[in-house]
Amino acid sequence: MAQSKLGAFRLRAAKLAALFLVVSLMISACGSAASESTTAPTAGSGGTSSTMDALIAAAKAEGELTVIALPHNWLNYGEMIENFSKKYGIKINELNPDAGSGDEIEAIKANKDNKGPQAPDVIDVGFAFGPSSKQENLLQPYKVSTWDTIPNELKDPEGYWFGDYYGVLAFAVNKDVVKNVPQDWADLLKPEYKGQVALAGDPRVSNLAIQSVYAAALANGGSLDNVQPGLDFFSKLNQAGNFVPVIAKQGTLAQGETPIMITWDYLAISARDELGGNPEIEVVVPKSGVLGGVYVQAISAYAPHPNAAKLWMEYLYSDEGQLTWLKGGGHPVRYNDLVARNVIPAEIAEKLPPAELYANAVFPTLAQLEAAKKVIVDGWDTTVNVDVKE
Amino acid sequence: MAEQASERGRGAQWQHLDLRRINWSWLGTVPFFLFACAFLVLPSASLVIGSFQDNAGNFTLQNITDLGQPSIVNAYLLSVQVSGVTALLGTLVGGLLAWAMVLGRLPRFVRAFLIPFSGVASNFAGVPLAFAFIATLGRVGFVTVLLKNLGFDLYDKGFNLYSFWGLSATYLYFQIPLVVLILTPAFEALRPQWREAAESLGASGGYYWRSVALPILTPALLSTVVLLFGNAFGAYATAYALTGGSLNIVPIMIGAQIQGDILHNPNLGYALAFGMMVIMTLVLALYSWLQRRSARWLQ
Amino acid sequence: MKKRSSLVAWLFIIVGTSYFLLPLIATFLFSLRAKKDTLGFTAYQRVFADSSFYETFLFSALMALLTIIASLLLLVPTVYWAYLRHPRLHRLIELVSLMPFVIPPIVLVFGLIKSYSRPPVILVQSRGLLIAGYMVLTLPYMYRAIDAGLRATNVKTLTEAAQSLGAGWPRIIWQVIVPNVRGALVNGAFLTFATVLGELTLAQYLAWPAFGPYLARISQNKAYEPAALTIISFALTWVIFGIVLLVNSKDQQQTQFGGTH
């Protein structure tokens, strides 16, 4: 009797479980079907002042803008957000400042039907994510009024994505711990830096870390097409005991566990300024192997506040916005244009590392970037082989 | 089982009441299953479905076969190892602490101190925890420097915080308090009268523990091990902050595929998570079997 | 006859406490270095001067409380009935309770957004979805705590005794079972509170001003303040738990159910 009760129960439970599963599958299937119908919008463009006024009015009517992945100390985004908000009276919702580019894309996808403050209006992603998001129909095109001053190789001709700023890889050095500051990649291998060199990310996850390996390649006999020497360099660094596998942050830099942090120049500069001498930080742009990294801006195709998004873009690419980025220690994409028109105030120009160091900067194309990514991600575990057993 | 037999025994008299009782208790669990369906199964359905899709949404088994890559297999092995080690060690150490607190005849304030502390510490994880351990046992950590001044260089002796054991030691910081919280009621359930009764019958302390206390505690101990395993298995932020880039555990891989700047194959990420579900189910099956075995042993 | 404290027990407690206190001491010492060359509480002053600290802490504390209440209301009857009447259902519930461990929070939150951001059920703007998400995340711990509490109590006997006295189900649960598993429920509540307070992913993507995202933002941009914040939130939560425990133990002494302890 107990057996048949058990059997009957099992059957019932199985049926119920199956029912739940089927219902859930149906609902989520319905969901994904509903969100497939989107048409690619045509590019609007900012231009004459009357269209600007109309845009400002429309943006103010929307009243809000949702951004994602914008830490306040990343290229002075803190000031950018505050100034934009004050100037136009538009409230800015800030989603996850720690988000990676993949996160931002997933956030757009998840919020396709959502017009609330969880859906990002604008994204700031790594170079490679521009074309890939365009392909997935996640973006809407827009050409800002200063469109023509953006270098051609750094924007999508149809206006779906456009470069916003670039930086080069540099060392942030804690001078309280490191008495003899390294000046180049080769210096990092010296025994005096045992257990002191760290990346600011995981090379399988973070764009920054991958570019660091790429830059090391350039300094060690590699080229934009040959990134293997970069992996070999880190392997040597690890075997010499100089590499610390911790992900460096401002805290570990100040505490001394990662006194030599390889990161973007603008992040190193903001760390230096933020810590204000406690401890002393020196920002070193290496003499060889100067790799430029570009990020791009884009507007989500599903943006709940499209006009606010466009106004945000206009602001970022205005002189005011570009100079705000420059203050943060990075090179805004219209840098050359700003220099040519002589609009950069002296105090801001002083904060940056000397311009000669940037003369050596090289910028990989998208194809080179993709190839390098693949080599580094595949090779990191095996080549660098950071030993974690006991 | 015994309970069903006794129910049948009373069956004749209480038949009508029996039916009513069964209907009630069945309904009692429906809210839970509705909740689980709406907020647990439904969101994860996309996970399961996504494991079998490619980027364009077509059905494929590629993600599943991709799970066979050596780097991924190693990641699963490492995840299981870290989770298993911290689950067992955590239960052992936490169990001893819970014992000491409940049965060690310690003053009341020890309990008032440890229980709230365990509550907080059980969730102390991620970047703050990693930083705390770096600040303690890193190369320029507080304890490391202290020992160096006393003439004992930890790192020269081969110690390394950024290793399997370093990570396990860090995980134990939130595993052990969890055990303390879960097992304290279990130790409290051991009535002192039983101990006194056993001793008055001539049993030694060891005998009491082996034959009376341990069998009673075993279900709770086993379920604690499983809970700890799951807790460590899904942990991500601590490992990433402590050894990011060098330690290959599955949650970090999932993060790399879904959230990262570089790899962006969310479907592979879903497949990885699906693999974790399978492993968790296997662990639970093992646990069920162990529970049944020990219940038999009890009788 | 008062028995002496066990020496071995003291040893365990002392070793255990050192292990737990050392990392906190290290963090605390670091947090004092905010001003160059001196040890002081500058970092703490900065934290306390930040209004976001209070706002986010209170918000998360409130959410935690609501989550605890909702979880208890949902789980205690469920686990009780399953434990008493349906051992196999009990196994199923156990499996379900362990599932949140293997669903990455990022997948959970995106799944919740996708499912509840369109008709017929639009929940994505409501706090209810956040609370439901928290309930899912804390399910393993809450379930375990309640389960351990029930196992430690003689549930069957108590139930039969109460039923033979004519009590209905709500009465049985509320006045017979709950007082006896109170300690376990308090522990479960602690676990839930601590989890919700530190929770990051759900709050971020559902765009709520919670404490977890605040802590993450500070960790990103600053060096000494995160350490100070860690110590402050640790201490604050500890004090709250201590108070609850004291109140609970006083209460328990007054509602002793004859014969069970």
Side-chain angles (χ1 to χ4, degrees):
Chain A
M1 254 240 263
Q3 281 305 316
S4 65
K5 248 197 195 162
L6 167 60
F9 174 82
R10 277 205 182 129
L11 193 59
R12 218 181 332 159
K15 281 188 194 160
L16 264 167
L19 183 64
F20 285 148
L21 195 61
V22 168
V23 169
S24 321
L25 288 176
M26 273 168 48
I27 295 182
S28 44
C30 287
S32 42
S35 56
E36 246 138 70
S37 49
T38 49
T39 48
T42 51
S45 62
T48 62
S49 53
S50 60
T51 48
M52 263 305 271
D53 290 335
L55 182 62
I56 296 177
K60 281 190 180 168
E62 283 171 356
E64 273 181 33
L65 177 72
T66 306
V67 300
I68 184 172
L70 303 182
H72 281 204
N73 67 341
W74 181 286
L75 253 94
N76 209 7
Y77 259 120
E79 196 180 311
M80 188 80 86
I81 289 173
E82 207 183 302
N83 290 348
F84 178 82
S85 212
K86 266 199 227 136
K87 185 166 181 180
Y88 297 109
I90 294 178
K91 173 168 169 272
I92 297 195
N93 305 314
E94 299 180 58
L95 299 178
N96 190 3
D98 232 335
S101 300
D103 254 337
E104 303 182 58
I105 303 304
E106 290 304 306
I108 293 182
K109 284 193 205 162
N111 285 287
K112 277 182 188 172
D113 297 309
N114 182 13
K115 294 297 166 204
Q118 295 85 10
D121 290 308
V122 293
I123 56 175
D124 182 2
V125 288
F127 196 19
F129 282 84
S132 65
S133 324
K134 176 183 170 186
Q135 237 185 348
E136 290 181 44
N137 293 325
L138 297 173
L139 310 174
Q140 56 175 297
Y142 182 68
K143 294 188 181 173
V144 291
S145 39
T146 51
W147 181 256
D148 297 323
T149 57
I150 303 176
N152 284 337
E153 60 274 16
L154 297 177
K155 65 191 181 190
D156 171 62
E158 288 164 6
Y160 279 89
W161 51 265
F162 20 94
D164 42 23
Y165 49 79
Y166 57 89
V168 300
L169 286 157
F171 311 149
V173 184
N174 180 341
K175 285 173 79 172
D176 284 353
V177 175
V178 180
K179 304 297 171 205
N180 191 5
V181 178
Q183 297 297 318
D184 201 354
W185 291 96
D187 291 342
L188 295 178
L189 289 170
K190 291 195 187 141
E192 65 186 288
Y193 302 120
K194 187 150 195 250
Q196 293 189 332
V197 184
L199 289 172
D202 175 353
R204 292 160 307 180
V205 182
S206 143
N207 190 34
L208 170 49
I210 282 228
Q211 306 280 54
S212 308
V213 180
Y214 207 172
L218 293 178
N220 282 283
S223 70
L224 285 177
D225 294 305
N226 176 19
V227 86
Q228 185 60 35
L231 285 170
D232 296 333
F233 174 79
F234 275 96
S235 176
K236 261 192 273 172
L237 199 67
N238 184 44
Q239 275 163 10
N242 289 14
F243 182 65
V244 187
V246 175
I247 294 195
K249 282 183 133 64
Q250 219 185 92
T252 53
L253 176 68
Q255 188 255 352
E257 191 70 16
T258 60
I260 303 176
M261 180 168 98
I262 303 174
T263 182
W264 294 121
D265 52 348
Y266 44 83
L267 293 181
I269 290 172
S270 79
R272 179 194 68 195
D273 295 340
E274 174 68 46
L275 290 169
N278 180 27
E280 278 283 339
I281 305 287
E282 185 171 322
V283 179
V284 179
V285 175
K287 295 206 179 61
S288 61
V290 186
L291 184 78
V294 185
Y295 282 82
V296 302
Q297 293 279 340
I299 303 181
S300 161
Y302 305 96
H305 317 104
N307 293 305
K310 292 173 185 167
L311 187 61
W312 170 254
M313 292 304 175
E314 288 292 345
Y315 183 71
L316 292 179
Y317 287 86
S318 66
D319 282 358
E320 190 184 335
Q322 300 278 294
L323 285 175
T324 309
W325 272 338
L326 197 58
K327 255 204 255 175
H331 286 71
V333 77
R334 290 179 52 227
Y335 182 66
N336 294 330
D337 179 59
L338 295 172
V339 168
R341 286 162 44 223
N342 220 349
V343 292
I344 304 180
E347 331 83 73
I348 299 185
E350 270 167 8
K351 287 184 63 183
L352 296 175
E356 317 87 68
L357 291 169
Y358 289 86
N360 296 332
V362 289
F363 290 82
T365 64
L366 214 52
Q368 288 168 328
L369 209 56
E370 288 295 315
K373 258 204 274 182
K374 193 156 175 21
V375 174
I376 294 174
V377 171
D378 288 341
W380 180 259
D381 286 325
T382 46
T383 316
V384 179
N385 198 22
V386 185
D387 197 358
V388 282
K389 282 292 176 199
E390 267 106 312
Chain B
M1 301 265 268
E3 120 190 24
Q4 282 174 324
S6 66
E7 269 191 350
R8 264 182 291 139
R10 301 200 304 269
Q13 281 180 304
W14 300 99
Q15 212 161 26
H16 58 290
L17 257 175
D18 216 326
L19 282 172
R20 241 195 301 168
R21 257 187 233 150
I22 291 179
N23 281 339
W24 265 113
S25 48
W26 180 249
L27 274 176
T29 60
V30 165
F32 173 77
F33 284 110
L34 274 178
F35 173 82
C37 234
F39 297 109
L40 182 56
V41 175
L42 193 51
S44 2
S46 61
L47 191 156
V48 176
I49 297 174
S51 320
F52 295 96
Q53 287 181 326
D54 64 15
N55 241 336
N58 310 315
F59 178 80
T60 175
L61 285 174
Q62 183 62 36
N63 299 320
I64 307 294
T65 46
D66 278 345
L67 290 182
Q69 286 167 39
S71 60
I72 292 185
V73 172
N74 282 338
Y76 275 114
L77 279 174
L78 193 58
S79 275
V80 171
Q81 272 173 322
V82 173
S83 311
V85 163
T86 55
L88 291 169
L89 268 181
T91 308
L92 181 65
V93 177
L96 289 172
L97 276 177
W99 167 79
M101 223 172 49
V102 177
L103 297 173
R105 300 180 291 274
L106 298 170
R108 286 269 293 284
F109 75 83
V110 174
R111 200 131 165 218
F113 174 91
L114 271 183
I115 294 272
F117 183 88
S118 298
V120 195
S122 66
N123 204 55
F124 186 46
V127 174
L129 179 65
F131 183 79
F133 266 79
I134 292 174
T136 313
L137 287 169
R139 269 165 225 267
V140 293
F142 160 65
V143 168
T144 316
V145 169
L146 201 67
L147 289 174
K148 214 187 254 183
N149 289 339
L150 292 173
F152 184 76
D153 190 334
L154 267 182
Y155 278 82
D156 270 350
K157 295 276 186 299
F159 171 79
N160 188 0
L161 178 64
Y162 313 114
S163 61
F164 176 86
W165 287 106
L167 184 68
S168 300
T170 313
Y171 270 23
L172 283 173
Y173 200 92
F174 55 79
Q175 296 280 59
I176 294 174
L178 187 57
V179 178
V180 171
L181 283 180
I182 302 285
L183 283 186
T184 305
F187 277 99
E188 281 170 351
L190 293 175
R191 315 269 184 263
Q193 298 93 329
W194 299 343
R195 174 88 190 240
E196 285 160 19
E199 279 176 354
S200 73
L201 289 172
S204 72
Y207 185 81
Y208 164 71
W209 276 103
R210 268 200 319 276
S211 311
V212 182
L214 225 48
I216 294 182
L217 290 173
T218 302
L221 287 173
L222 282 178
S223 63
T224 307
V225 171
V226 175
L227 183 72
L228 255 58
F229 184 91
N231 201 20
F233 203 44
Y236 160 82
T238 312
Y240 188 71
L242 190 67
T243 60
S246 59
L247 202 57
N248 216 3
I249 57 174
V250 184
I252 289 184
M253 290 199 120
I254 296 178
Q257 295 294 349
I258 296 182
Q259 297 173 268
D261 285 329
I262 306 306
L263 309 164
H264 191 55
N265 187 356
N267 297 90
L268 182 59
Y270 297 144
L272 285 165
F274 182 63
M276 284 177 80
M277 277 183 179
V278 170
I279 293 182
M280 205 64 222
T281 315
L282 288 173
V283 167
L284 198 67
L286 176 65
Y287 157 72
S288 286
W289 178 78
L290 280 171
Q291 284 279 36
R292 280 200 296 272
R293 279 293 301 272
S294 68
R296 239 173 279 153
W297 171 47
L298 222 166
Q299 285 164 357
Chain C
M1 185 175 76
K2 194 128 203 290
K3 286 208 176 135
R4 257 178 335 117
S5 317
S6 160
L7 228 63
V8 179
W10 269 117
L11 192 66
F12 284 153
I13 298 289
I14 290 175
V15 170
T17 314
S18 328
Y19 167 75
F20 285 113
L21 283 184
L22 276 175
L24 286 176
I25 293 174
T27 308
F28 180 65
L29 286 176
F30 181 70
S31 70
L32 295 177
R33 284 158 56 181
K35 225 183 168 118
K36 194 165 174 65
D37 293 332
T38 59
L39 291 179
F41 288 94
T42 314
Y44 292 87
Q45 285 169 336
R46 290 196 202 135
V47 170
F48 284 126
D50 188 359
S51 63
S52 305
F53 167 66
Y54 302 103
E55 286 163 15
T56 53
F57 193 86
L58 283 172
F59 177 83
S60 285
L62 181 63
M63 289 297 117
L65 217 61
L66 293 173
T67 307
I68 292 171
I69 295 173
S71 286
L72 287 176
L73 281 175
L74 182 70
L75 286 178
V76 173
T78 306
V79 181
Y80 167 66
W81 269 310
Y83 182 69
L84 204 59
R85 297 286 171 206
H86 293 278
R88 280 157 209 97
L89 208 56
H90 193 210
R91 283 277 174 272
L92 182 62
I93 296 180
E94 200 161 12
L95 177 63
V96 170
S97 83
L98 287 174
M99 275 307 127
F101 279 144
V102 292
I103 297 169
I106 189 78
V107 174
L108 179 67
V109 75
F110 281 152
L112 286 175
I113 292 178
K114 269 189 247 203
S115 313
Y116 297 108
S117 57
R118 68 182 109 85
V121 190
I122 300 191
L123 277 178
V124 75
Q125 312 294 357
S126 85
R127 283 179 178 80
L129 192 64
L130 184 66
I131 293 177
Y134 283 155
M135 283 169 73
V136 170
L137 285 180
T138 56
L139 184 60
Y141 310 108
M142 207 42 137
Y143 170 82
R144 259 314 159 234
I146 297 175
D147 190 54
L150 285 174
R151 280 180 205 270
T153 317
N154 204 343
V155 173
K156 285 194 198 74
T157 318
L158 285 173
T159 311
E160 283 167 16
Q163 277 177 329
S164 68
L165 290 171
W169 285 112
R171 198 118 179 252
I172 295 179
I173 293 184
W174 184 242
Q175 291 188 318
V176 176
I177 302 298
V178 167
N180 280 287
V181 295
R182 204 160 171 164
L185 294 187
V186 168
N187 290 353
F190 284 170
L191 288 171
T192 303
F193 190 90
T195 306
V196 170
L197 206 65
E199 204 284 326
L200 188 57
T201 315
L202 244 58
Q204 269 177 343
Y205 286 98
L206 289 174
W208 290 105
F211 191 66
Y214 171 71
L215 186 55
R217 266 201 317 272
I218 302 290
S219 300
Q220 264 254 338
N221 300 340
K222 303 201 185 279
Y224 301 101
E225 283 81 341
L229 208 48
T230 303
I231 299 290
I232 293 174
S233 63
F234 209 101
L236 214 55
T237 320
W238 194 353
V239 165
I240 294 175
F241 287 176
I243 295 176
V244 171
L245 198 68
L246 246 101
V247 168
N248 185 53
S249 60
K250 275 215 191 78
D251 244 357
Q252 214 162 23
Q253 280 163 8
Q254 289 161 357
T255 60
Q256 271 302 312
F257 216 82
T260 47
H261 272 282

